[in-house]
Amino acid sequence: MWKEYEALINKGSTRDALQTAQKIYDKALKENQVDQKFKAIIHIYQNRMVIEENSETNIINDLKSSIQKSSSVDEQALLKILLAQSYFSYYSANQYKIIERTYGNELSADFAMWDARQFQQEISKLYHSALDQKNELKKYPLENYSAIVSKDNKAKFSLPIQNLSDLLFNEAIQYFSSSNIQLIEASNAFQMNEKELFLSVQDFSKIDLSNKNSSNEWIALELYQEWITNHLQDKNQEILSYIDNQRLHFVYDHYVGEKKNDLYAESLQNGFQQFTLASSKALFKSDLIQLWYQERAGDFEYSLTQIVKEAQQVLKDYPNTLGALSMQNLIDVIQSKGLEVTLEQYIPANVPFKTFIEYKNLSSVKYKIVEWKEINRDNNYQNNQDVWNAVQKLKVVHSGNFQLPASSDYSSHSIEFALNGLATGKYALITYTDEVLNDISKGKFNISPFQITDISLVFRENEENIIVSVLNRQS
């Protein structure tokens, strides 16, 4: 029935799509398919938002009523998350007027009258309430909720989240990590500068984080600690290592204290040594190598050659892991070819001129100078087949090969070449690599239009007029 629903949505038949979603919901309710039921609920609400007046109020009231009626632990938790997301959606759409409201002490029964702090408090309560039964929710396998778990079909590897408790922790942390609810109190400004936040997973789980800060970021940190504690005794520590790795990412992104890179590097090294699973080791080692790469001009004196060597070792030691995938992507970036060509736009006639080439991972570049009948410097020339085919039809004035100084350090280098003078006219310098001739997507080429002319214009402006002087560039 979902194919029928998608077809109706694509046709713009919102009311018919709503009816189909309702049928899916009724069927799922009868057959007790929780994931299908919630997927249907989401789509029902989306369509109601389009065709129904006061839809936000009605949907939120429906969710509140459903929570009160539900006796199922998993259903209640999911409904609370959905209600929290609905509140935040309403806040985001009406933020411009909500942030102007004075904070009040009494919570109105009408959520449309809440101020920013009240939205924040109520959403926070719902996320925490959804996790009240976190231990019980671990008994609900994630595979039972496949219809409502968003999946990236292009992803080669999946995250090691296995149950509903993990899913809801992840949802809550995502909210508190990225929510933009604006609060007025300056005292609520978030500052993370405690070195102990980089401690090992066991030591971090024992830190007292309570009552230090009420910001969303600090709440996210508390949730990381709670999530970690919920998995400390697991025999299989894959999910624990994943959570701890994400915790360290979060701390690193928000830390404002001294020696940030050193603390992060040490914590990643500790995680690599502590966890024994190949997938876990690859995760921490790949992040450490990424840090070396990002900060190689600062705190870490690692060459690109060394970084590639370390990344290749991860591929060898821990194949088919998230860390290995990360390292392959990094190697592809470092070893990618680069070509940028610069020359003057206007050049005197019959006088040798220079071209400046910046290159990476190339030993030679072919070139040809062609007559360019229509120069438009605003054209956004792209590396695509159509442009390349058009270039091949232009008359070639001169061609050759730029031999580039050999280098195996994966860094960018630059060099200047001299080209013979040309007669007056409009031209373009086409530079390209051999791969372009066989597969445009695997090669590099650059189009640099220029004009050969002895005429130059000089503009001067006084109080009344603009004076234009025409000069001969060679006299």
Side-chain angles (χ1 to χ4, degrees):
M1 292 179 72
W2 282 114
K3 289 184 179 180
E4 177 186 347
Y5 172 84
E6 292 296 338
L8 291 169
I9 288 294
N10 292 335
K11 286 171 57 179
S13 304
T14 307
R15 291 187 181 278
D16 292 337
L18 175 59
Q19 292 177 359
T20 301
Q22 186 64 53
K23 291 177 182 178
I24 296 173
Y25 173 82
D26 293 339
K27 183 176 183 293
L29 185 64
K30 182 178 180 180
E31 298 177 359
N32 195 30
Q33 296 178 323
V34 177
D35 62 335
Q36 292 292 332
K37 182 169 67 173
F38 272 90
K39 182 178 179 180
I41 287 175
I42 292 169
H43 288 280
I44 287 170
Y45 289 164
Q46 288 175 347
N47 287 290
R48 285 175 61 182
M49 292 283 286
V50 175
I51 63 177
E52 186 180 295
E53 291 186 12
N54 300 318
S55 56
E56 298 99 332
T57 300
N58 295 334
I59 288 170
I60 285 175
N61 287 336
D62 286 351
L63 284 169
K64 291 166 71 174
S65 176
S66 297
I67 291 171
Q68 292 177 346
K69 293 177 182 178
S70 176
S71 59
S72 170
V73 172
D74 59 335
E75 185 174 308
Q76 271 204 357
L78 288 168
L79 284 168
K80 288 174 181 176
I81 295 294
L82 196 53
L83 179 56
Q85 292 173 344
S86 298
Y87 277 145
F88 183 67
S89 177
Y90 179 86
Y91 170 86
S92 298
N94 297 276
Q95 180 178 355
Y96 67 97
K97 59 183 178 182
I98 294 174
I99 60 176
E100 298 295 329
R101 295 173 185 168
T102 303
Y103 289 169
N105 295 321
E106 186 174 344
L107 187 68
S108 172
D110 181 5
F111 69 89
M113 302 304 296
W114 292 353
D115 58 52
R117 182 171 59 184
Q118 290 169 331
F119 271 101
Q120 163 76 336
Q121 291 171 345
E122 292 306 305
I123 292 172
S124 180
K125 286 178 185 178
L126 284 165
Y127 275 109
H128 282 90
S129 179
L131 287 163
D132 279 345
Q133 302 294 323
K134 55 183 177 291
N135 290 326
E136 185 67 22
L137 291 170
K138 289 178 72 174
K139 300 176 183 178
Y140 294 83
L142 196 61
E143 62 190 30
N144 293 348
Y145 308 90
S146 58
I148 58 173
V149 177
S150 60
K151 293 183 177 180
D152 183 354
N153 293 326
K154 297 180 180 178
K156 189 175 180 180
F157 305 99
S158 59
L159 301 178
I161 294 176
Q162 298 177 347
N163 56 60
L164 190 56
S165 177
D166 293 331
L167 176 65
L168 298 186
F169 265 114
N170 192 62
E171 287 290 322
I173 287 172
Q174 290 300 313
Y175 166 75
F176 288 109
S177 299
S178 59
S179 167
N180 64 346
I181 290 185
Q182 297 181 13
L183 299 176
I184 295 173
E185 298 98 324
S187 60
N188 204 54
F190 180 60
Q191 291 285 317
M192 186 182 291
N193 51 26
E194 294 88 347
K195 293 182 180 179
E196 61 185 4
L197 298 177
F198 283 105
L199 288 173
S200 68
V201 63
Q202 287 86 357
D203 292 336
F204 172 77
S205 68
K206 300 172 185 177
I207 298 173
D208 182 10
L209 299 176
S210 60
N211 302 320
K212 286 192 175 184
N213 196 288
S214 60
S215 68
N216 275 357
E217 291 87 352
W218 197 265
I219 293 172
L221 196 59
E222 292 176 318
L223 284 168
Y224 270 119
Q225 187 183 60
E226 191 176 347
W227 196 6
I228 284 171
T229 303
N230 205 34
H231 283 283
L232 269 180
Q233 304 306 319
D234 290 357
K235 291 183 178 179
N236 185 334
Q237 295 201 327
E238 183 178 21
I239 181 62
L240 178 63
S241 65
Y242 165 74
I243 302 167
D244 191 47
N245 181 266
Q246 295 303 302
R247 182 263 302 189
L248 291 172
H249 269 291
F250 180 79
V251 173
Y252 179 71
D253 287 342
H254 293 86
Y255 191 75
V256 296
E258 296 179 350
K259 297 184 177 180
K260 172 180 176 176
N261 289 328
D262 290 338
L263 290 168
Y264 187 42
E266 183 179 357
S267 65
L268 289 173
Q269 186 64 43
N270 290 338
F272 173 76
Q273 293 173 349
Q274 175 183 354
F275 293 103
T276 58
L277 286 174
S279 59
S280 303
K281 283 188 170 294
L283 205 59
F284 285 91
K285 187 66 174 183
S286 63
D287 282 351
L288 182 58
I289 295 170
Q290 288 279 7
L291 180 64
W292 293 342
Y293 172 71
Q294 293 164 9
E295 301 296 332
R296 63 190 183 280
D299 290 336
F300 304 105
E301 296 181 356
Y302 282 86
S303 69
L304 291 174
T305 304
Q306 290 174 302
I307 291 171
V308 168
K309 183 178 179 180
E310 292 285 349
Q312 289 172 336
Q313 192 64 45
V314 172
L315 293 175
K316 179 182 177 181
D317 294 343
Y318 314 110
N320 302 319
T321 62
L322 278 171
L325 177 62
S326 172
M327 290 298 91
Q328 185 60 64
N329 291 337
L330 179 60
I331 290 171
D332 290 345
V333 169
I334 294 174
Q335 294 183 341
S336 64
K337 297 179 179 181
L339 175 64
E340 295 291 337
V341 179
T342 306
L343 75 164
E344 290 186 26
Q345 184 175 354
Y346 300 103
I347 300 170
N350 301 309
V351 175
F353 59 96
K354 292 181 179 180
T355 179
F356 180 83
I357 297 179
E358 186 173 357
Y359 65 96
K360 182 167 81 80
N361 299 323
L362 292 172
S363 59
S364 66
V365 175
K366 288 183 168 60
Y367 75 89
K368 53 186 174 181
I369 297 174
V370 299
E371 291 184 357
W372 197 254
K373 300 300 183 183
E374 296 180 3
I375 291 183
N376 183 351
R377 296 294 291 188
D378 294 328
N379 278 349
N380 184 21
Y381 297 115
Q382 299 293 329
N383 286 10
N384 59 54
Q385 192 67 54
D386 290 339
V387 173
W388 179 252
N389 291 341
V391 166
Q392 305 315 301
K393 299 176 183 179
L394 301 174
K395 182 180 178 180
V396 178
V397 177
H398 181 63
S399 62
N401 187 53
F402 293 131
Q403 287 295 329
L404 305 173
S407 174
S408 59
D409 60 5
Y410 306 114
S411 297
S412 293
H413 299 273
S414 60
I415 190 172
E416 283 186 334
F417 287 97
L419 292 169
N420 293 331
L422 298 168
T424 301
K426 297 177 180 179
Y427 303 89
L429 174 63
I430 314 298
T431 49
Y432 58 97
T433 60
D434 287 328
E435 293 87 351
V436 169
L437 301 175
N438 298 316
D439 187 344
I440 199 76
S441 65
K442 294 182 179 179
K444 292 285 184 181
F445 81 88
N446 188 284
I447 302 175
S448 304
F450 63 97
Q451 186 169 357
I452 300 294
T453 177
D454 286 335
I455 296 174
S456 64
L457 301 178
V458 178
F459 294 86
R460 290 179 294 169
E461 186 175 352
N462 57 31
E463 295 180 357
E464 298 179 355
N465 302 301
I466 297 176
I467 302 172
V468 180
S469 300
V470 181
L471 305 177
N472 186 310
R473 301 181 69 183
Q474 299 198 62
S475 64

